[in-house]
Amino acid sequence: MGMQGTDQTFVNGIDTDHQAVSDTKELLKPVEGGGPDHWAKRRKLFKESKQKSSTGEGSITSDITEGSVSEDAPSLDMTTQDTEIGGFYTETFHSAAWVYQGDNDITGAMPPTLNSRSRVISIRERTVRINKGTGDYPWGFRIQFSKPIVVTEVDTNGAAEEAGLMVGDYVLAVNGTDVTSIPHSEAADLARQGPDVLTLTIGSDIARGPNTPRPGCRGYLHKRTQSGLIKGWRKRWFVLTHDCCLHYYRHKWDEGKRLAVSTIKLERAEVGPDLSLGKQFVFKCRPLLENRVYFFCATSNQEMKRWIVALEKAIHPVTQNHVWVDVTQHNSNLPPLAVKNPECLGLLHKMDRIKDMWIQHYCILKDGCLYLYSGIRATHAHGGIYLQGYTVREQPYGSRKCTIELKPPSDEFKSFYLCAENPNDNKRWIAAIKASIKKWLPLHQALQDYNNHQPEETRM
């Protein structure tokens, strides 16, 4: 049940970095019925566009031969990026490590990540075979007294780690015997009395095991281009998002207000410094899915290294989606009324700041995710918002005195504005969203809770 794009944000982009030249041609295009006044306006617009280009986008004259770089031609980009038209906005979830605590009171005797009362939302089962090592603890892991039994520690470079056992996994069976309802000491005896290859049936759910944060980076770079009439280096605002895609805009202030000029999918791309162009601080990126090489120029060696480190971290995809991401993918493929136990449902208007208009959606709130449907009879969700890290409050927006503001943990991420049918409905949604967000904890807080409540354990 793997995610094919749910942990990415939405839009099919086209590389239109040659748009400046097209805009210039459009300004000079004659219109039927035009007269002297019309052409005077055209000349004025053309002059203003040239001034804007020279101040805002200043192309650097190239001293590089045309054959040394790939042509910057428009090409359909099948990656996704959030445009507030659709797709799942997941950046806050992927930017930090989160664990699910459900509806449990965190003041209990066990931490929320390992609490035996945690409601299992989704289970991913796998078989782990551990070759017996040497010493007093030959298997190299520790289990906790709970139902189900939870793995609380895995020795570094031990037999269990080599077999793929992870902290937060819970044990369903030992050598084929179901252990979900027996004490952890009996499960340990089953392991010790068994063969030299310990076979465990392991389960995972969204309450056990944090997600893996992904890198983000943003800033101005000069990008080498071969498109249009002007060839050379153009200054662009680049944004490496936490879904491991590199987007670029003409200006910093375009981010969040306009579509990206283009999006580069970094999975398994080749990234590194480049000395072939005879310029300092140049590095290149060769995406796996594109037949071209991108060249970028930073302002300093330190800045170049910062980008290369961030890009190298982004090009290695997470090998397995977090279970909760699979859960949201599953739910998004259901009709709205088929999602089990929703926390809130109904009509909401969402502000699309690119179109500058409110768009109505039928919405389902479930476990920290707001699913957006075109209507109550829709067959699947067309988008959604991962709510980890957001705060929610009632706030005026534009001409509307009462809207729901979803505020991100920092300005790096997007704010969202929603509006229900009436003020009482707004309050109902705000209360439900607050409760849903509280189901998730940052990993550092969960670890602190765990250290404050040490459970009974057995080392294997």
Side-chain angles (χ1 to χ4, degrees):
M1 179 164 128
M3 274 286 288
Q4 306 249 345
T6 326
D7 61 340
Q8 297 177 3
T9 48
F10 198 79
V11 80
N12 291 338
I14 298 203
D15 186 348
T16 57
D17 204 24
H18 63 298
Q19 190 66 40
V21 174
S22 300
D23 292 344
T24 300
K25 292 179 179 178
E26 185 65 26
L27 289 170
L28 297 176
K29 184 178 177 181
V31 178
E32 291 183 13
D37 290 343
H38 165 76
W39 284 108
K41 291 179 181 178
R42 290 284 184 175
R43 285 192 295 271
K44 181 180 178 182
L45 288 172
F46 177 67
K47 183 178 180 181
E48 290 174 351
S49 70
K50 289 190 71 177
Q51 290 173 346
K52 181 179 178 181
S53 176
S54 63
T55 57
E57 298 183 9
S59 297
I60 300 176
T61 304
S62 173
D63 56 350
I64 304 167
T65 60
E66 294 185 12
S68 63
V69 287
S70 303
E71 182 176 353
D72 196 0
S75 59
L76 184 63
D77 188 300
M78 299 306 293
T79 59
T80 56
Q81 172 200 0
D82 177 73
T83 67
E84 296 200 28
I85 298 171
F88 278 76
Y89 186 77
T90 66
E91 282 219 52
T92 54
F93 178 74
H94 289 305
S95 67
W98 296 92
V99 290
Y100 181 84
Q101 69 164 344
D103 299 313
N104 296 311
D105 182 359
I106 64 172
T107 60
M110 294 183 186
T113 47
L114 305 176
N115 197 308
S116 61
R117 295 177 294 141
S118 292
R119 179 162 49 95
V120 176
I121 305 301
S122 176
I123 298 175
R124 179 192 285 124
E125 294 186 8
R126 69 186 193 279
T127 299
V128 174
R129 294 180 175 84
I130 307 174
N131 294 313
K132 189 173 184 178
T134 59
D136 295 334
Y137 308 106
W139 308 110
F141 67 96
R142 191 188 301 266
I143 56 176
Q144 173 188 292
F145 174 70
S146 62
K147 292 183 181 180
I149 297 166
V150 178
V151 177
T152 57
E153 185 178 337
V154 177
D155 293 347
T156 303
N157 299 323
E161 184 183 66
E162 291 181 6
L165 195 67
M166 295 182 290
V167 173
D169 285 339
Y170 61 94
V171 183
L172 302 178
V174 175
N175 294 328
T177 301
D178 188 325
V179 296
T180 56
S181 59
I182 68 173
H184 76 300
S185 57
E186 292 184 23
D189 289 339
L190 281 173
R192 295 187 182 107
Q193 295 166 8
D196 287 347
V197 177
L198 175 62
T199 302
L200 303 177
T201 302
I202 297 298
S204 303
D205 66 57
I206 67 175
R208 294 173 170 85
N211 63 308
T212 303
R214 300 177 185 176
C217 193
R218 54 191 8 92
Y220 276 110
L221 292 169
H222 285 88
K223 183 179 79 71
R224 173 66 173 161
T225 179
Q226 281 288 111
S227 68
L229 300 176
I230 304 174
K231 299 177 176 65
W233 296 87
R234 291 178 181 166
K235 187 177 180 180
R236 295 290 181 255
W237 177 255
F238 283 84
V239 178
L240 173 60
T241 51
H242 299 282
D243 59 1
C244 302
C245 289
L246 183 63
H247 315 280
Y248 67 89
Y249 304 82
R250 288 187 174 83
H251 305 285
K252 178 179 180 179
W253 51 84
D254 288 342
E255 182 186 351
K257 297 180 181 178
R258 297 185 179 183
L259 301 183
V261 173
S262 188
T263 296
I264 305 168
K265 187 173 176 63
L266 294 172
E267 184 176 330
R268 288 179 287 173
E270 296 178 14
V271 176
D274 184 84
L275 303 175
S276 65
L277 304 183
K279 288 180 67 69
Q280 284 187 312
F281 319 134
V282 171
F283 60 99
K284 62 184 177 182
C285 175
R286 185 193 302 270
L288 177 69
L289 301 178
E290 295 187 46
N291 186 26
R292 62 162 297 171
V293 179
Y294 292 88
F295 291 89
F296 309 106
C297 184
T299 55
S300 67
N301 190 53
Q302 182 179 0
E303 184 72 359
M304 180 185 73
K305 288 181 178 179
R306 180 176 77 93
W307 273 102
I308 290 176
V309 168
L311 292 171
E312 285 178 340
K313 289 180 180 178
I315 64 178
H316 302 292
V318 177
T319 56
Q320 189 178 60
N321 288 321
H322 188 262
V323 179
W324 187 73
V325 177
D326 285 348
V327 172
T328 58
Q329 170 69 2
H330 171 76
N331 289 341
S332 71
N333 288 324
L334 298 174
L337 300 183
V339 177
K340 295 181 180 179
N341 303 315
E343 295 151 19
C344 200
L345 53 82
L347 292 174
L348 284 175
H349 291 82
K350 176 175 171 288
M351 167 52 67
D352 185 329
R353 283 178 289 178
I354 293 177
K355 294 183 177 181
D356 193 26
M357 62 185 296
W358 293 89
I359 298 178
Q360 181 177 276
H361 307 271
Y362 190 82
C363 297
I364 297 287
L365 178 66
K366 172 76 172 172
D367 292 323
C369 184
L370 185 66
Y371 299 87
L372 307 177
Y373 295 81
S374 58
I376 195 170
R377 294 183 177 84
T379 58
H380 62 278
H382 62 75
I385 307 168
Y386 283 22
L387 297 171
Q388 290 84 356
Y390 275 86
T391 56
V392 57
R393 63 176 180 173
E394 197 171 69
Q395 182 79 358
Y397 187 91
S399 61
R400 302 202 178 199
K401 297 180 179 179
C402 181
T403 68
I404 303 167
E405 180 189 56
L406 294 175
K407 193 75 174 174
S410 76
D411 293 338
E412 176 185 359
F413 307 108
K414 297 179 66 114
S415 296
F416 295 93
Y417 294 88
L418 309 165
C419 189
E421 298 295 294
N422 55 66
N424 287 334
D425 222 14
N426 268 354
K427 289 179 171 60
R428 176 177 70 93
W429 274 102
I430 288 173
I433 292 172
K434 284 182 178 179
S436 195
I437 291 172
K438 285 182 179 179
K439 291 186 175 185
W440 291 87
L441 283 179
L443 177 60
H444 65 85
Q445 185 177 339
L447 291 176
Q448 184 177 357
D449 293 337
Y450 175 77
N451 291 331
N452 293 336
H453 305 285
Q454 287 292 342
E456 181 184 344
E457 295 177 315
T458 297
R459 189 168 181 186
M460 301 292 295

